[in-house]
Each structure stands twice: as structure tokens, then as C-alpha cells.
């Protein structure tokens, strides 16, 4: 298997779904997509973030007048089916199936046109960036796909190349997200960006707390809660049992 990776950057107002990610920096999404041809594909996407952002994404997805797939100026004409597989206050899992796609220029349809059958996509979205990883049996026509994608991008979208190489293995956690309250995520991101987890540490809890305008004790509590969730996700041993429940 070969893998091709790239990213597409979105300016504000260029895509309704991506606008939600831009407006809510704590929102993150991972998807697994397959059965890709020129006229059909499916996707399972796990999104974590505040309730208001999840509500907006769900609203857009279920609005058949809103495309949300095309990367050109031309919206996709297709038969759409969406279903909510899981929903909580801070996590949303959506199933999407598009068929009878006509006149559409999306990453999926362009890949289905130029690349071999049996494609698998892994994607990640955060803020203004949508990252893509395509697994394929052969990269014989990947140059044609690259040229077609780059030449057709709508105004406000920018292509950023990743790599083309032998697939580096299956990312079994590609749909795994850690859903945590927004205040915990804000604290964790602030600590990461300030270098709190570097060795040696580049900042202190007091400095981060002052930056966030919260008490040191509150910051410490939020970080402990966030770290506990990350540890459970990484080392928890009974995730597989959910298949048997």
C-alpha cells in the first residue's frame, strides 16, 4: 500500500463546516472514509467540542441545500444520507453516505476518478486546516490527481503537500478522540503552548493561571482531569469489550 498526505487550508467564509472549526478552536474531528468512486462514498466522523459547535455541524450536515464536500466553486449534486451514531454534550459521531453524485469536484470524487478502487481515507480537522491521508494500492496516477485537485481549488482554499511513500501502518486510533470539557482543553492547550510539559519546564502553573485569569488551584485541577482522560484513553484495557456489549 502507498499513502499520500496533504492538507487544505480554509479562509473564513469559504466553507460552512470549516467555519465552525475556525470559530471554535477547541473542536477537533477525525474521520474514516471508504468505498470511494466518482459517484459515491461513505464517511464516519467523530467530532469533539462544545455543544453549540456540535449543534451547528449537525445542522449543516442535515441541510441538503448545503454541500459541505466540494473543494471548487461547484457544489455537489447528490443523494445524501446522514445519521447520528452517537451524541453527548461534547461529542458527536456522524455517518454520511453520498451516492448518485453528479457534477461534483471534491477530494473524494477526484480521487475516485483518478486513483485505483479500494481507497481508504483518514482525515483530521482543526481550526482552519483539513488534513488528509489516502491509502491506495498504487500511486500510478497520483500526479494526475494532485494536478486536478490543485488546479480546481475554490477561492479561499490553499493546498499544502505532505508526502507520498509506502504506507507506514494502520492508525488504529484514527477515530479516537478524547472528549473533555472545554475549560479542561483550554487549560491543556495553554500548558502545552507555554512549554509546561517540556523538559525542563519552560513555565509554571502560576504563570499559566495568570495568563488564563484563573486561580492556580483551578488550573491544577483542570489539568489533572484532562491528564486522567488522556491516560485512560491511552492505557485503558477494556475499549475492545464495547464490541461485545
Amino acid at each position: 500500500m502507498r499513502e499520500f498526505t496533504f492538507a487544505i487550508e480554509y479562509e473564513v467564509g469559504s466553507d460552512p463546516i470549516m467555519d465552525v472549526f475556525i470559530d471554535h478552536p477547541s473542536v477537533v474531528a477525525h474521520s474514516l472514509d471508504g468505498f470511494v468512486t466518482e459517484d459515491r462514498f461513505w464517511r464516519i466522523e467523530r467530532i469533539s467540542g462544545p455543544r453549540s459547535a456540535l449543534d451547528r455541524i449537525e445542522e449543516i450536515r442535515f441541510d441538503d441545500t448545503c454541500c459541505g464536500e466540494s473543494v471548487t466553486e461547484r457544489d455537489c449534486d447528490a443523494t445524501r444520507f446522514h445519521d447520528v451514531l452517537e451524541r453527548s454534550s461534547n461529542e458527536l459521531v456522524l455517518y454520511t453516505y453520498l451516492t448518485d453524485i453528479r457534477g461534483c469536484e471534491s477530494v473524494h470524487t477526484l480521487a475516485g476518478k483518478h486513483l485505483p478502487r479500494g481507497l481508504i481515507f483518514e482525515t483530521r480537522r482543526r481550526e482552519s486546516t483539513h488534513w488528509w491521508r489516502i491509502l491506495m494500492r498504487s500511486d500510478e496516477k497520483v500526479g494526475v490527481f494532485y494536478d486536478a485537485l490543485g488546479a480546481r481549488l475554490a477561492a479561499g482554499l490553499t493546498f499544502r503537500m505532505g508526502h507520498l511513500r509506502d504506507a507506514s501502518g494502520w492508525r488504529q486510533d484514527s477515530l479516537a478522540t478524547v472528549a473533555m470539557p472545554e475549560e479542561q482543553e483550554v487549560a491543556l492547550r495553554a500548558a502545552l503552548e507555554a512549554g509546561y510539559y517540556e523538559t525542563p519546564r519552560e513555565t509554571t502553573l502560576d504563570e499559566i493561571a495568570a495568563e488564563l485569569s484563573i486561580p492556580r488551584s483551578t488550573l491544577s485541577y483542570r489539568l489533572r482531569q484532562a491528564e486522567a482522560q488522556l491516560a485512560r484513553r491511552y492505557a485503558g484495557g477494556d475499549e475492545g469489550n464495547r464490541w461485545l456489549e
Side-chain angles (χ1 to χ4, degrees), residues 39-240:
D39 67 348
R40 69 189 65 185
F41 77 90
W42 61 257
R43 176 202 299 116
I44 296 178
E45 187 169 33
R46 182 180 295 273
I47 312 155
S48 63
R51 182 189 296 272
S52 59
L54 301 184
D55 289 343
R56 180 58 180 150
I57 290 173
E58 186 176 338
E59 178 185 354
I60 294 170
R61 282 290 184 221
F62 280 82
D63 181 358
D64 284 343
T65 67
C66 187
C67 176
E69 306 296 340
S70 176
V71 292
T72 73
E73 305 289 354
R74 188 178 183 182
D75 285 347
C76 296
D77 183 14
T79 300
R80 295 174 169 86
F81 177 80
H82 304 283
D83 197 9
V84 176
L85 300 182
E86 193 174 315
R87 179 66 202 260
S88 68
S89 62
N90 56 5
E91 193 166 62
L92 171 66
V93 181
L94 279 174
Y95 168 77
T96 294
Y97 179 57
L98 264 64
T99 187
D100 300 324
I101 301 173
R102 301 167 296 279
C104 177
E105 292 177 326
S106 68
V107 172
H108 296 98
T109 58
L110 291 173
K113 179 179 180 179
H114 298 295
L115 300 179
R117 298 293 174 93
L119 301 171
I120 297 176
F121 293 71
E122 295 177 74
T123 82
R124 182 177 186 271
R125 302 188 200 224
R126 185 159 209 164
E127 297 181 352
S128 62
T129 308
H130 194 173
W131 291 272
W132 294 79
R133 181 190 189 217
I134 305 178
L135 298 176
M136 50 198 166
R137 293 181 289 112
S138 166
D139 61 15
E140 180 181 355
K141 294 185 177 181
V142 73
V144 178
F145 166 69
Y146 171 84
D147 291 340
L149 181 60
R152 288 170 168 78
L153 286 182
L157 277 63
T158 305
F159 183 89
R160 183 150 49 96
M161 179 71 173
H163 61 252
L164 175 64
R165 66 189 183 197
D166 288 339
S168 58
W170 176 246
R171 299 176 185 176
Q172 69 271 15
D173 61 345
S174 60
L175 285 183
T177 61
V178 179
M180 62 180 67
E182 186 173 10
E183 64 271 12
Q184 291 178 21
E185 174 138 4
V186 169
L188 187 63
R189 284 173 62 86
L192 281 169
E193 292 170 1
Y196 180 73
Y197 292 104
E198 298 297 326
T199 304
R201 285 179 172 164
E202 299 174 359
T203 189
T204 66
L205 287 180
D206 290 313
E207 291 172 325
I208 301 170
E211 180 69 24
L212 296 177
S213 300
I214 59 177
R216 183 186 187 281
S217 59
T218 300
L219 172 64
S220 178
Y221 174 78
R222 291 176 181 177
L223 286 178
R224 288 199 307 272
Q225 292 297 305
E227 291 162 1
Q229 291 209 55
L230 291 172
R232 284 192 292 269
R233 170 68 76 177
Y234 181 78
D238 48 12
E239 279 293 307

